[in-house]
Amino acid sequence: MSTTTTRRSRARRNASAMKMVGALLAVFREAAGYTQRSLGAVFCVSEQTIASIEQGRRPLKSDLAEQLDELLDSKGALSAAVRNMPEVDLVPLWAEEFLDREREAIAISSYENQVVPGLLQTDAYAEAVFRSRVPVYDEDEIGQLVTARVERQGILHRKDPPITSFVIWEPVVRAPIGGREVWAGQLRHLRECSELPGLMLQVLPLDRITHAGLNGPFVLLETPEHQRLAYTEGQRGSQLIADQGEVAILSQKCAMLRSQALTPEETRGLLDRLLGEQ
């Protein structure tokens, strides 16, 4: 069996297991006399969140499963279902939930010091990023990953886009990932994105002698329920952070980075100069 076939098989197993847990939640919810809206209100989450879990599009987290078992008198069935999901389902849950939260976020703040943020990447740049991965992806996987990344960007162009703030370290916009043609196209795209309503793009200059982002990139999200979350990635994993103390620390770093970065107007000037050098 090819690697691609194996990954697709795993994806189907993921979807099936999540749908099973979601269907179980729907049965217990209806038996207890709750609607999706009224159940969400108990836990201060949106009706859409409950619907996403029941449809298998969002994983049910263990802490919420325990609370639901108690409220719905489901005898621990939801918690047991979550605990006994196949390991392949548990590994990507942080990233899956982050993407769900990103889609519905009302505010997104990002600091990046390695590559252009995914929400601002062109198709060609995204492909170059995925081709740089070790071990390598096969051609089918690269195509699927690029498509998924570009589709994420629809949130920036919807009728009610989130308020977004991006701080990017200057070496990122100077690195010719994918070659000079790809790089120039990415610079033009950043320049265009910098004019989008509700989007603030800032470059953190290379000549700073210190800055608040030395520990690496991160993303801050605010949900429609005004819950604040953070997301970080490393070489071998990722983490969605709900602890408000930890989120507060990253929020402080984000505020400091914005003050240390070029203004949006200065950033547009830098991008114009880089494009003029092409």
Side-chain angles (χ1 to χ4, degrees):
M1 182 181 293
S2 70
T3 301
T4 303
T5 302
T6 301
R7 292 180 188 275
R8 286 175 180 166
S9 174
R10 288 181 176 181
R12 285 193 294 270
R13 285 168 56 196
N14 286 354
S16 297
M18 289 171 62
K19 286 180 179 177
M20 177 200 69
V21 173
L24 198 60
L25 170 58
V27 168
F28 288 125
R29 172 183 59 77
E30 292 171 0
Y34 286 93
T35 64
Q36 291 176 340
R37 181 187 295 272
S38 63
L39 184 61
V42 173
F43 298 102
C44 297
V45 299
S46 67
E47 177 181 0
Q48 290 74 20
T49 296
I50 300 298
S52 292
I53 294 172
E54 292 187 354
Q55 293 162 13
R57 294 186 290 108
R58 167 177 289 181
L60 176 60
K61 303 299 293 298
S62 58
D63 55 347
L64 181 56
E66 291 174 1
Q67 297 174 56
L68 286 166
D69 276 331
E70 183 174 350
L71 177 70
L72 303 177
D73 193 27
S74 45
K75 313 301 183 187
L78 294 171
S79 299
V82 171
R83 282 197 308 271
N84 289 283
M85 287 180 73
E87 184 178 355
V88 67
D89 293 292
L90 298 177
V91 172
L93 288 189
W94 290 116
E96 288 177 4
E97 183 164 4
F98 166 71
L99 294 176
D100 281 339
R101 297 302 182 95
E102 181 186 71
R103 276 191 290 271
E104 65 181 18
I106 61 173
I108 302 172
S109 298
S110 170
Y111 167 66
E112 183 56 73
N113 65 357
Q114 297 167 337
V115 294
V116 171
L119 288 175
L120 301 180
Q121 291 180 8
T122 64
D123 297 40
Y125 185 94
E127 180 178 337
V129 169
F130 289 125
R131 288 191 183 281
S132 299
R133 191 246 200 183
V134 177
V136 298
Y137 289 118
D138 66 36
E139 291 300 316
D140 287 344
E141 289 175 308
I142 290 173
Q144 293 165 8
L145 289 165
V146 170
T147 297
R149 177 155 295 180
V150 173
E151 286 177 351
R152 284 173 55 200
Q153 300 171 7
I155 64 174
L156 300 179
H157 304 282
R158 68 192 187 198
K159 185 177 180 180
D160 56 340
I163 300 299
T164 49
S165 169
F166 299 92
V167 177
I168 307 173
W169 197 28
E170 186 174 343
V172 172
V173 299
R174 290 187 176 274
I177 301 296
R180 301 195 71 83
E181 184 176 346
V182 170
W183 177 48
Q186 180 62 67
L187 289 177
R188 286 192 293 271
H189 185 64
L190 286 175
R191 184 63 177 82
E192 293 167 2
C193 288
S194 73
E195 302 283 359
L196 289 174
L199 188 151
M200 182 168 64
L201 177 62
Q202 295 177 266
V203 168
L204 184 69
L206 182 59
D207 61 4
R208 285 201 59 87
I209 61 174
T210 184
H211 68 74
L214 292 176
N215 286 341
F218 59 88
V219 179
L220 298 171
L221 301 175
E222 182 177 352
T223 72
E225 299 81 31
H226 303 293
Q227 180 185 15
R228 288 175 170 79
L229 303 169
Y231 180 75
T232 61
E233 286 187 343
Q235 285 281 344
R236 300 297 297 157
S238 58
Q239 184 178 19
L240 185 65
I241 303 168
D243 180 271
Q244 291 305 292
E246 294 297 321
V247 174
I249 291 172
L250 289 173
S251 296
Q252 293 164 8
K253 288 188 178 187
C254 187
M256 184 66 73
L257 285 164
R258 287 175 182 165
S259 70
Q260 295 171 339
L262 301 177
T263 66
E265 293 76 20
E266 292 168 338
T267 294
R268 283 192 281 269
L270 172 62
L271 294 173
D272 288 339
R273 290 193 297 275
L274 290 173
L275 284 166
E277 295 170 4
Q278 301 304 304

